[in-house]
Amino acid sequence: MARELIDCHCHLSANEFTQDIDDVLLRAKKTGVKALVAVTEGASEFEKVIQLSKIYPGFVFPCFGIHPLQGSGKDLHSVKVQDLEPFLPLFQKHRDNIVAIGEIGLDFTPWNVHSRSAAKATIATMKELGIGQALLHNFAGKPSVAMEGVQAGFSFSFPPAVSKNEQRAKLIRQIPLEHICLETDSPALGLDDHVRNEPGNITISCEYIAKVKRISPGVVMEVTTQNALRLFPRLKT
């Protein structure tokens, strides 16, 4: 069986990839990555991921979002609805090109990974809004909260860094494989905090999930790829 993996959440427009993005993507292809969902953290990255999708058609797929926390240090602040209004025309302009909306969410502490402190509120809000399909990336909530998301039809993805966290193993064991996708969240959340993460490291996530669930990496690869194609139908094109 051919190796076909989908990185459902990576930040190709990050400054860390500016100098060697071509090499990074080539390594990803050699690893077996079939498609990458390139997620933005702010409107300044929108055009960059659109350009990458044009340079690598059928491989890089843009996903527009505004990180719920903007700025840094004393200027760090939560995004409000009015902060989004100036950028809505860009969403409209590229609506036929993007595969999803994200990075979005609730961030209740300035130092958490999304949903670590807001998992229950996030899932409850999504259910109230009637959202049927969504990917909660790098999910770090309680297994009981995750199962509420599973019952609502949501999916969850995990980057390489989770392989260092036993609490996350308990979570992965409980979530059905049919609700799991793969991600790297690169350039962050690799095995080493001081080494740039890349989409090619998606195999680490795949192999770890296989180990935790005591199944073969091939099964994880096949099922998570199908999950991603179902969640992001435009990847099929």
Side-chain angles (χ1 to χ4, degrees):
M1 181 176 66
R3 292 166 64 90
E4 291 188 348
L5 300 136
I6 295 178
D7 189 345
C8 289
H9 189 105
C10 58
H11 296 275
L12 300 181
S13 50
N15 292 333
E16 289 89 339
F17 290 132
T18 300
Q19 299 300 318
D20 63 344
I21 187 64
D22 294 330
D23 293 336
V24 167
L25 295 181
L26 180 60
R27 284 192 288 272
K29 285 185 177 181
K30 288 181 177 179
T31 305
V33 176
K34 177 183 180 180
L36 304 106
V37 178
V39 179
T40 71
E41 291 193 343
S44 62
E45 300 176 31
F46 288 3
E47 293 295 342
K48 193 169 183 178
V49 296
I50 288 293
Q51 287 305 311
L52 283 171
S53 71
K54 290 179 178 178
I55 296 170
Y56 298 95
F59 185 54
V60 173
F61 294 85
C63 178
F64 283 2
I66 307 288
H67 194 289
L69 288 175
Q70 295 288 311
S72 60
K74 293 182 179 179
D75 294 326
L76 191 67
H77 65 279
S78 296
V79 170
K80 297 180 173 62
V81 173
Q82 52 264 41
D83 295 326
L84 302 178
E85 290 177 355
F87 309 118
L88 293 181
L90 287 174
F91 282 89
Q92 187 68 24
K93 176 183 177 182
H94 296 293
R95 62 180 301 171
D96 294 332
N97 303 108
I98 59 178
V99 298
I101 299 296
E103 177 139 2
I104 53 175
L106 300 176
D107 206 324
F108 287 176
T109 75
W111 312 116
N112 75 339
V113 177
H114 284 166
S115 292
R116 180 173 294 168
S117 297
K120 193 170 184 66
T122 297
I123 288 177
T125 301
M126 291 164 64
K127 289 170 67 174
E128 287 173 11
L129 292 173
I131 293 172
Q133 281 199 311
L135 177 67
L136 287 93
H137 95 96
N138 190 27
F139 188 80
K142 295 179 180 179
S144 59
V145 177
M147 294 312 294
E148 291 181 27
V150 167
Q151 292 168 7
F154 304 151
S155 298
F156 303 81
S157 58
F158 302 95
V162 302
S163 61
K164 302 182 293 182
N165 188 321
E166 180 56 33
Q167 286 300 114
R168 213 69 72 89
K170 295 177 183 177
L171 181 63
I172 291 170
R173 284 190 198 101
Q174 188 153 341
I175 298 175
L177 186 59
E178 290 72 23
H179 288 265
I180 291 178
C181 290
L182 302 179
E183 67 158 297
T184 60
D185 204 11
S186 52
L189 298 186
L191 288 181
D192 188 331
D193 292 339
H194 305 290
V195 177
R196 182 186 70 175
N197 190 17
E198 294 187 5
N201 291 332
I202 196 80
T203 55
I204 298 172
S205 297
C206 180
E207 290 165 3
Y208 181 69
I209 291 169
K211 178 183 175 182
V212 168
K213 286 190 167 293
R214 297 181 179 178
I215 55 180
S216 74
V219 170
V220 174
M221 178 175 60
E222 182 177 4
V223 175
T224 57
T225 294
Q226 290 306 311
N227 294 344
L229 292 174
R230 184 173 63 251
L231 188 60
F232 304 110
R234 289 186 179 181
L235 297 186
K236 297 175 183 178
T237 60

